Amino acid sequence: QVRDTVPEHIRTLSPLRGKQRLLEVTNGGPILDNYPDNPLTTAKGITTRDQNDVRRSDAILVNLLGTKTVSIGTVMEIAWAKAYNVPVILVMEKQGNLHDHSMINESIGYRVETLEHGIEIMKVLLSPDQLL
């Protein structure tokens, strides 16, 4: 987990926090669009919380390595970050990822090919005395 690799002063937010029920429902499989039986997992609940998370963040780290389908929610989060002037660190393959699109590339601040490199950039952005 990213949380375990960053200094204590960097607070991380998991997009699945408060959604433990999703892990039970999916049995580790793909997560569906929404689950209307819980306010946090309805379409409105997911959108509201995720948009608020981006708005209150100092930076977002997006890991799209190995994605098999386009994550519309992640694309929305990148767009919100751009609108709120929140720096985006994108971790994605150099070529071949489904998310490789000019609008995504224009909306991010940093693009790297490994999660470790993305975490290092996040540390530099959020820690004034951190060196690469």
Side-chain angles (χ1 to χ4, degrees):
Q1 266 196 346
V2 172
R3 174 179 293 130
D4 299 331
T5 65
V6 297
E8 195 173 287
H9 72 276
I10 296 177
R11 194 180 78 187
T12 62
L13 298 174
S14 168
L16 288 178
R17 74 185 191 290
K19 299 178 186 175
Q20 288 76 11
R21 184 171 175 287
L22 294 182
L23 299 176
E24 297 167 10
V25 171
T26 62
N27 284 329
I31 296 174
L32 300 178
D33 184 38
N34 69 80
Y35 296 84
D37 62 326
N38 180 325
L40 283 173
T41 59
T42 63
K44 187 171 286 304
I46 291 167
T47 303
T48 300
R49 194 191 74 166
D50 290 0
Q51 186 175 20
N52 187 58
D53 282 353
V54 171
R55 182 182 21 243
R56 66 191 183 117
S57 293
D58 294 321
I60 64 170
L61 176 65
V62 178
N63 182 1
L64 294 175
L65 289 172
T67 54
K68 304 280 189 258
T69 59
V70 171
S71 174
I72 295 171
T74 301
V75 171
M76 291 287 297
E77 291 166 348
I78 291 170
W80 291 325
K82 176 72 171 170
Y84 300 139
N85 294 316
V86 174
V88 176
I89 306 152
L90 176 63
V91 181
M92 189 166 73
E93 296 85 357
K94 190 172 188 171
Q95 295 179 328
N97 191 292
L98 296 169
H99 295 87
D100 198 357
H101 188 278
S102 60
M103 292 178 74
I104 297 288
N105 291 322
E106 288 298 313
S107 298
I108 61 169
Y110 307 92
R111 180 174 171 170
V112 295
E113 296 176 42
T114 68
L115 186 56
E116 294 76 21
H117 197 183
I119 291 169
E120 287 305 313
I121 291 173
M122 186 176 66
K123 288 177 184 178
V124 170
L125 285 179
L126 302 178
S127 305
D129 59 349
Q130 182 71 31
L131 300 175
L132 280 178

PDB file of all heavy atoms in Angstrom, residues 40-69:
ATOM      1  N   LEU A  40     -23.248   5.264   0.732  1.00  0.00           N
ATOM      2  CA  LEU A  40     -21.881   5.516   0.276  1.00  0.00           C
ATOM      3  C   LEU A  40     -21.567   4.871  -1.057  1.00  0.00           C
ATOM      4  O   LEU A  40     -20.597   5.243  -1.717  1.00  0.00           O
ATOM      5  CB  LEU A  40     -20.868   5.017   1.315  1.00  0.00           C
ATOM      6  CG  LEU A  40     -20.680   5.883   2.542  1.00  0.00           C
ATOM      7  CD1 LEU A  40     -19.782   5.177   3.549  1.00  0.00           C
ATOM      8  CD2 LEU A  40     -20.107   7.237   2.166  1.00  0.00           C
ATOM      9  N   THR A  41     -22.375   3.893  -1.468  1.00  0.00           N
ATOM     10  CA  THR A  41     -22.081   3.175  -2.709  1.00  0.00           C
ATOM     11  C   THR A  41     -23.118   3.403  -3.802  1.00  0.00           C
ATOM     12  O   THR A  41     -23.087   2.735  -4.832  1.00  0.00           O
ATOM     13  CB  THR A  41     -21.922   1.660  -2.436  1.00  0.00           C
ATOM     14  OG1 THR A  41     -23.124   1.153  -1.848  1.00  0.00           O
ATOM     15  CG2 THR A  41     -20.731   1.394  -1.534  1.00  0.00           C
ATOM     16  N   THR A  42     -24.028   4.356  -3.574  1.00  0.00           N
ATOM     17  CA  THR A  42     -24.930   4.747  -4.659  1.00  0.00           C
ATOM     18  C   THR A  42     -24.144   5.604  -5.643  1.00  0.00           C
ATOM     19  O   THR A  42     -23.047   6.086  -5.334  1.00  0.00           O
ATOM     20  CB  THR A  42     -26.119   5.578  -4.134  1.00  0.00           C
ATOM     21  OG1 THR A  42     -25.605   6.797  -3.580  1.00  0.00           O
ATOM     22  CG2 THR A  42     -26.926   4.819  -3.088  1.00  0.00           C
ATOM     23  N   ALA A  43     -24.689   5.812  -6.814  1.00  0.00           N
ATOM     24  CA  ALA A  43     -24.016   6.659  -7.806  1.00  0.00           C
ATOM     25  C   ALA A  43     -23.756   8.050  -7.235  1.00  0.00           C
ATOM     26  O   ALA A  43     -22.654   8.599  -7.354  1.00  0.00           O
ATOM     27  CB  ALA A  43     -24.858   6.744  -9.079  1.00  0.00           C
ATOM     28  N   LYS A  44     -24.743   8.640  -6.576  1.00  0.00           N
ATOM     29  CA  LYS A  44     -24.587   9.974  -5.987  1.00  0.00           C
ATOM     30  C   LYS A  44     -23.573   9.958  -4.845  1.00  0.00           C
ATOM     31  O   LYS A  44     -22.752  10.855  -4.720  1.00  0.00           O
ATOM     32  CB  LYS A  44     -25.928  10.514  -5.505  1.00  0.00           C
ATOM     33  CG  LYS A  44     -25.840  11.972  -5.030  1.00  0.00           C
ATOM     34  CD  LYS A  44     -27.195  12.560  -4.753  1.00  0.00           C
ATOM     35  CE  LYS A  44     -27.992  12.890  -5.959  1.00  0.00           C
ATOM     36  NZ  LYS A  44     -27.416  13.771  -6.937  1.00  0.00           N
ATOM     37  N   GLY A  45     -23.635   8.937  -4.023  1.00  0.00           N
ATOM     38  CA  GLY A  45     -22.710   8.842  -2.894  1.00  0.00           C
ATOM     39  C   GLY A  45     -21.265   8.703  -3.345  1.00  0.00           C
ATOM     40  O   GLY A  45     -20.366   9.361  -2.804  1.00  0.00           O
ATOM     41  N   ILE A  46     -21.019   7.849  -4.323  1.00  0.00           N
ATOM     42  CA  ILE A  46     -19.664   7.656  -4.847  1.00  0.00           C
ATOM     43  C   ILE A  46     -19.150   8.951  -5.463  1.00  0.00           C
ATOM     44  O   ILE A  46     -18.037   9.395  -5.188  1.00  0.00           O
ATOM     45  CB  ILE A  46     -19.645   6.509  -5.889  1.00  0.00           C
ATOM     46  CG1 ILE A  46     -19.894   5.166  -5.205  1.00  0.00           C
ATOM     47  CG2 ILE A  46     -18.319   6.492  -6.648  1.00  0.00           C
ATOM     48  CD1 ILE A  46     -20.203   4.035  -6.178  1.00  0.00           C
ATOM     49  N   THR A  47     -19.971   9.579  -6.285  1.00  0.00           N
ATOM     50  CA  THR A  47     -19.565  10.808  -6.969  1.00  0.00           C
ATOM     51  C   THR A  47     -19.288  11.918  -5.973  1.00  0.00           C
ATOM     52  O   THR A  47     -18.259  12.614  -6.070  1.00  0.00           O
ATOM     53  CB  THR A  47     -20.655  11.238  -7.971  1.00  0.00           C
ATOM     54  OG1 THR A  47     -20.881  10.174  -8.886  1.00  0.00           O
ATOM     55  CG2 THR A  47     -20.240  12.487  -8.726  1.00  0.00           C
ATOM     56  N   THR A  48     -20.164  12.101  -4.999  1.00  0.00           N
ATOM     57  CA  THR A  48     -20.002  13.165  -4.008  1.00  0.00           C
ATOM     58  C   THR A  48     -18.721  12.979  -3.208  1.00  0.00           C
ATOM     59  O   THR A  48     -17.937  13.918  -3.031  1.00  0.00           O
ATOM     60  CB  THR A  48     -21.221  13.207  -3.073  1.00  0.00           C
ATOM     61  OG1 THR A  48     -22.389  13.466  -3.853  1.00  0.00           O
ATOM     62  CG2 THR A  48     -21.061  14.273  -1.999  1.00  0.00           C
ATOM     63  N   ARG A  49     -18.501  11.775  -2.716  1.00  0.00           N
ATOM     64  CA  ARG A  49     -17.316  11.543  -1.897  1.00  0.00           C
ATOM     65  C   ARG A  49     -16.033  11.671  -2.707  1.00  0.00           C
ATOM     66  O   ARG A  49     -15.067  12.292  -2.270  1.00  0.00           O
ATOM     67  CB  ARG A  49     -17.367  10.181  -1.218  1.00  0.00           C
ATOM     68  CG  ARG A  49     -16.295  10.127  -0.112  1.00  0.00           C
ATOM     69  CD  ARG A  49     -16.114   8.782   0.417  1.00  0.00           C
ATOM     70  NE  ARG A  49     -15.388   8.016  -0.575  1.00  0.00           N
ATOM     71  CZ  ARG A  49     -14.837   6.856  -0.309  1.00  0.00           C
ATOM     72  NH1 ARG A  49     -14.937   6.337   0.872  1.00  0.00           N
ATOM     73  NH2 ARG A  49     -14.181   6.200  -1.223  1.00  0.00           N
ATOM     74  N   ASP A  50     -15.997  11.099  -3.897  1.00  0.00           N
ATOM     75  CA  ASP A  50     -14.789  11.147  -4.705  1.00  0.00           C
ATOM     76  C   ASP A  50     -14.462  12.572  -5.140  1.00  0.00           C
ATOM     77  O   ASP A  50     -13.298  12.982  -5.126  1.00  0.00           O
ATOM     78  CB  ASP A  50     -14.911  10.223  -5.910  1.00  0.00           C
ATOM     79  CG  ASP A  50     -14.892   8.744  -5.519  1.00  0.00           C
ATOM     80  OD1 ASP A  50     -14.786   8.447  -4.306  1.00  0.00           O
ATOM     81  OD2 ASP A  50     -14.988   7.902  -6.414  1.00  0.00           O
ATOM     82  N   GLN A  51     -15.470  13.347  -5.513  1.00  0.00           N
ATOM     83  CA  GLN A  51     -15.221  14.737  -5.891  1.00  0.00           C
ATOM     84  C   GLN A  51     -14.712  15.539  -4.693  1.00  0.00           C
ATOM     85  O   GLN A  51     -13.777  16.328  -4.817  1.00  0.00           O
ATOM     86  CB  GLN A  51     -16.476  15.377  -6.465  1.00  0.00           C
ATOM     87  CG  GLN A  51     -16.230  16.773  -7.010  1.00  0.00           C
ATOM     88  CD  GLN A  51     -17.451  17.361  -7.677  1.00  0.00           C
ATOM     89  OE1 GLN A  51     -18.581  16.934  -7.447  1.00  0.00           O
ATOM     90  NE2 GLN A  51     -17.226  18.352  -8.511  1.00  0.00           N
ATOM     91  N   ASN A  52     -15.287  15.319  -3.535  1.00  0.00           N
ATOM     92  CA  ASN A  52     -14.829  16.005  -2.331  1.00  0.00           C
ATOM     93  C   ASN A  52     -13.401  15.598  -1.972  1.00  0.00           C
ATOM     94  O   ASN A  52     -12.591  16.432  -1.557  1.00  0.00           O
ATOM     95  CB  ASN A  52     -15.771  15.722  -1.164  1.00  0.00           C
ATOM     96  CG  ASN A  52     -15.420  16.542   0.050  1.00  0.00           C
ATOM     97  OD1 ASN A  52     -15.396  17.765   0.001  1.00  0.00           O
ATOM     98  ND2 ASN A  52     -15.126  15.866   1.147  1.00  0.00           N
ATOM     99  N   ASP A  53     -13.062  14.321  -2.149  1.00  0.00           N
ATOM    100  CA  ASP A  53     -11.695  13.865  -1.880  1.00  0.00           C
ATOM    101  C   ASP A  53     -10.692  14.598  -2.767  1.00  0.00           C
ATOM    102  O   ASP A  53      -9.643  15.034  -2.303  1.00  0.00           O
ATOM    103  CB  ASP A  53     -11.562  12.359  -2.112  1.00  0.00           C
ATOM    104  CG  ASP A  53     -12.128  11.525  -0.979  1.00  0.00           C
ATOM    105  OD1 ASP A  53     -12.522  12.085   0.062  1.00  0.00           O
ATOM    106  OD2 ASP A  53     -12.187  10.288  -1.154  1.00  0.00           O
ATOM    107  N   VAL A  54     -11.008  14.733  -4.048  1.00  0.00           N
ATOM    108  CA  VAL A  54     -10.096  15.424  -4.964  1.00  0.00           C
ATOM    109  C   VAL A  54      -9.978  16.891  -4.573  1.00  0.00           C
ATOM    110  O   VAL A  54      -8.882  17.444  -4.502  1.00  0.00           O
ATOM    111  CB  VAL A  54     -10.564  15.283  -6.433  1.00  0.00           C
ATOM    112  CG1 VAL A  54      -9.744  16.179  -7.350  1.00  0.00           C
ATOM    113  CG2 VAL A  54     -10.464  13.832  -6.884  1.00  0.00           C
ATOM    114  N   ARG A  55     -11.103  17.532  -4.290  1.00  0.00           N
ATOM    115  CA  ARG A  55     -11.102  18.963  -3.964  1.00  0.00           C
ATOM    116  C   ARG A  55     -10.232  19.271  -2.737  1.00  0.00           C
ATOM    117  O   ARG A  55      -9.545  20.284  -2.690  1.00  0.00           O
ATOM    118  CB  ARG A  55     -12.533  19.451  -3.730  1.00  0.00           C
ATOM    119  CG  ARG A  55     -12.628  20.928  -3.427  1.00  0.00           C
ATOM    120  CD  ARG A  55     -14.044  21.453  -3.140  1.00  0.00           C
ATOM    121  NE  ARG A  55     -15.001  20.461  -2.744  1.00  0.00           N
ATOM    122  CZ  ARG A  55     -16.096  20.165  -3.452  1.00  0.00           C
ATOM    123  NH1 ARG A  55     -16.343  20.769  -4.584  1.00  0.00           N
ATOM    124  NH2 ARG A  55     -16.942  19.256  -2.997  1.00  0.00           N
ATOM    125  N   ARG A  56     -10.216  18.382  -1.763  1.00  0.00           N
ATOM    126  CA  ARG A  56      -9.473  18.663  -0.531  1.00  0.00           C
ATOM    127  C   ARG A  56      -8.054  18.089  -0.522  1.00  0.00           C
ATOM    128  O   ARG A  56      -7.343  18.164   0.475  1.00  0.00           O
ATOM    129  CB  ARG A  56     -10.247  18.165   0.682  1.00  0.00           C
ATOM    130  CG  ARG A  56     -10.412  16.672   0.763  1.00  0.00           C
ATOM    131  CD  ARG A  56     -11.407  16.308   1.848  1.00  0.00           C
ATOM    132  NE  ARG A  56     -11.542  14.880   1.995  1.00  0.00           N
ATOM    133  CZ  ARG A  56     -11.220  14.218   3.093  1.00  0.00           C
ATOM    134  NH1 ARG A  56     -10.729  14.845   4.132  1.00  0.00           N
ATOM    135  NH2 ARG A  56     -11.399  12.925   3.146  1.00  0.00           N
ATOM    136  N   SER A  57      -7.631  17.544  -1.660  1.00  0.00           N
ATOM    137  CA  SER A  57      -6.296  16.941  -1.751  1.00  0.00           C
ATOM    138  C   SER A  57      -5.251  17.961  -2.190  1.00  0.00           C
ATOM    139  O   SER A  57      -5.546  18.890  -2.937  1.00  0.00           O
ATOM    140  CB  SER A  57      -6.307  15.785  -2.751  1.00  0.00           C
ATOM    141  OG  SER A  57      -7.102  14.732  -2.269  1.00  0.00           O
ATOM    142  N   ASP A  58      -4.012  17.737  -1.742  1.00  0.00           N
ATOM    143  CA  ASP A  58      -2.880  18.546  -2.191  1.00  0.00           C
ATOM    144  C   ASP A  58      -2.273  17.982  -3.462  1.00  0.00           C
ATOM    145  O   ASP A  58      -1.586  18.687  -4.197  1.00  0.00           O
ATOM    146  CB  ASP A  58      -1.816  18.619  -1.093  1.00  0.00           C
ATOM    147  CG  ASP A  58      -2.310  19.362   0.127  1.00  0.00           C
ATOM    148  OD1 ASP A  58      -3.016  20.380  -0.035  1.00  0.00           O
ATOM    149  OD2 ASP A  58      -2.013  18.930   1.256  1.00  0.00           O
ATOM    150  N   ALA A  59      -2.509  16.714  -3.735  1.00  0.00           N
ATOM    151  CA  ALA A  59      -2.060  16.045  -4.959  1.00  0.00           C
ATOM    152  C   ALA A  59      -2.798  14.720  -5.019  1.00  0.00           C
ATOM    153  O   ALA A  59      -3.248  14.206  -3.990  1.00  0.00           O
ATOM    154  CB  ALA A  59      -0.556  15.807  -4.947  1.00  0.00           C
ATOM    155  N   ILE A  60      -2.935  14.169  -6.240  1.00  0.00           N
ATOM    156  CA  ILE A  60      -3.483  12.819  -6.341  1.00  0.00           C
ATOM    157  C   ILE A  60      -2.524  11.945  -7.132  1.00  0.00           C
ATOM    158  O   ILE A  60      -1.908  12.390  -8.093  1.00  0.00           O
ATOM    159  CB  ILE A  60      -4.914  12.760  -6.914  1.00  0.00           C
ATOM    160  CG1 ILE A  60      -4.996  13.246  -8.350  1.00  0.00           C
ATOM    161  CG2 ILE A  60      -5.891  13.537  -6.032  1.00  0.00           C
ATOM    162  CD1 ILE A  60      -6.351  12.966  -9.003  1.00  0.00           C
ATOM    163  N   LEU A  61      -2.404  10.727  -6.661  1.00  0.00           N
ATOM    164  CA  LEU A  61      -1.569   9.716  -7.298  1.00  0.00           C
ATOM    165  C   LEU A  61      -2.522   8.709  -7.945  1.00  0.00           C
ATOM    166  O   LEU A  61      -3.346   8.105  -7.267  1.00  0.00           O
ATOM    167  CB  LEU A  61      -0.689   9.029  -6.255  1.00  0.00           C
ATOM    168  CG  LEU A  61       0.182   7.883  -6.720  1.00  0.00           C
ATOM    169  CD1 LEU A  61       1.236   8.363  -7.704  1.00  0.00           C
ATOM    170  CD2 LEU A  61       0.852   7.218  -5.516  1.00  0.00           C
ATOM    171  N   VAL A  62      -2.422   8.564  -9.265  1.00  0.00           N
ATOM    172  CA  VAL A  62      -3.316   7.690 -10.017  1.00  0.00           C
ATOM    173  C   VAL A  62      -2.497   6.548 -10.593  1.00  0.00           C
ATOM    174  O   VAL A  62      -1.582   6.769 -11.374  1.00  0.00           O
ATOM    175  CB  VAL A  62      -4.006   8.475 -11.160  1.00  0.00           C
ATOM    176  CG1 VAL A  62      -4.893   7.564 -11.977  1.00  0.00           C
ATOM    177  CG2 VAL A  62      -4.794   9.661 -10.612  1.00  0.00           C
ATOM    178  N   ASN A  63      -2.846   5.329 -10.204  1.00  0.00           N
ATOM    179  CA  ASN A  63      -2.140   4.145 -10.700  1.00  0.00           C
ATOM    180  C   ASN A  63      -3.031   3.425 -11.703  1.00  0.00           C
ATOM    181  O   ASN A  63      -4.022   2.799 -11.332  1.00  0.00           O
ATOM    182  CB  ASN A  63      -1.784   3.222  -9.539  1.00  0.00           C
ATOM    183  CG  ASN A  63      -1.007   2.008  -9.990  1.00  0.00           C
ATOM    184  OD1 ASN A  63      -0.706   1.832 -11.163  1.00  0.00           O
ATOM    185  ND2 ASN A  63      -0.690   1.145  -9.047  1.00  0.00           N
ATOM    186  N   LEU A  64      -2.680   3.522 -12.984  1.00  0.00           N
ATOM    187  CA  LEU A  64      -3.444   2.861 -14.037  1.00  0.00           C
ATOM    188  C   LEU A  64      -2.670   1.722 -14.691  1.00  0.00           C
ATOM    189  O   LEU A  64      -3.050   1.246 -15.761  1.00  0.00           O
ATOM    190  CB  LEU A  64      -3.864   3.889 -15.098  1.00  0.00           C
ATOM    191  CG  LEU A  64      -4.853   4.943 -14.622  1.00  0.00           C
ATOM    192  CD1 LEU A  64      -5.110   5.979 -15.707  1.00  0.00           C
ATOM    193  CD2 LEU A  64      -6.159   4.305 -14.165  1.00  0.00           C
ATOM    194  N   LEU A  65      -1.610   1.274 -14.046  1.00  0.00           N
ATOM    195  CA  LEU A  65      -0.821   0.174 -14.601  1.00  0.00           C
ATOM    196  C   LEU A  65      -1.676  -1.070 -14.796  1.00  0.00           C
ATOM    197  O   LEU A  65      -2.406  -1.487 -13.890  1.00  0.00           O
ATOM    198  CB  LEU A  65       0.354  -0.166 -13.677  1.00  0.00           C
ATOM    199  CG  LEU A  65       1.483   0.846 -13.613  1.00  0.00           C
ATOM    200  CD1 LEU A  65       2.473   0.466 -12.518  1.00  0.00           C
ATOM    201  CD2 LEU A  65       2.189   0.967 -14.959  1.00  0.00           C
ATOM    202  N   GLY A  66      -1.604  -1.644 -15.972  1.00  0.00           N
ATOM    203  CA  GLY A  66      -2.255  -2.916 -16.236  1.00  0.00           C
ATOM    204  C   GLY A  66      -3.768  -2.886 -16.294  1.00  0.00           C
ATOM    205  O   GLY A  66      -4.396  -3.941 -16.194  1.00  0.00           O
ATOM    206  N   THR A  67      -4.374  -1.738 -16.463  1.00  0.00           N
ATOM    207  CA  THR A  67      -5.836  -1.704 -16.508  1.00  0.00           C
ATOM    208  C   THR A  67      -6.362  -2.440 -17.734  1.00  0.00           C
ATOM    209  O   THR A  67      -5.770  -2.395 -18.804  1.00  0.00           O
ATOM    210  CB  THR A  67      -6.362  -0.252 -16.498  1.00  0.00           C
ATOM    211  OG1 THR A  67      -5.749   0.474 -17.565  1.00  0.00           O
ATOM    212  CG2 THR A  67      -6.075   0.436 -15.185  1.00  0.00           C
ATOM    213  N   LYS A  68      -7.469  -3.115 -17.536  1.00  0.00           N
ATOM    214  CA  LYS A  68      -8.088  -3.898 -18.614  1.00  0.00           C
ATOM    215  C   LYS A  68      -9.315  -3.211 -19.203  1.00  0.00           C
ATOM    216  O   LYS A  68      -9.742  -3.516 -20.297  1.00  0.00           O
ATOM    217  CB  LYS A  68      -8.501  -5.277 -18.089  1.00  0.00           C
ATOM    218  CG  LYS A  68      -7.364  -6.061 -17.457  1.00  0.00           C
ATOM    219  CD  LYS A  68      -6.493  -6.714 -18.514  1.00  0.00           C
ATOM    220  CE  LYS A  68      -5.507  -7.663 -17.901  1.00  0.00           C
ATOM    221  NZ  LYS A  68      -4.170  -7.170 -17.784  1.00  0.00           N
ATOM    222  N   THR A  69      -9.903  -2.302 -18.422  1.00  0.00           N
ATOM    223  CA  THR A  69     -11.041  -1.519 -18.893  1.00  0.00           C
ATOM    224  C   THR A  69     -10.820  -0.066 -18.494  1.00  0.00           C
ATOM    225  O   THR A  69     -10.101   0.216 -17.529  1.00  0.00           O
ATOM    226  CB  THR A  69     -12.380  -1.999 -18.280  1.00  0.00           C
ATOM    227  OG1 THR A  69     -12.289  -1.906 -16.857  1.00  0.00           O
ATOM    228  CG2 THR A  69     -12.696  -3.435 -18.679  1.00  0.00           C
TER     229      THR A  69
END
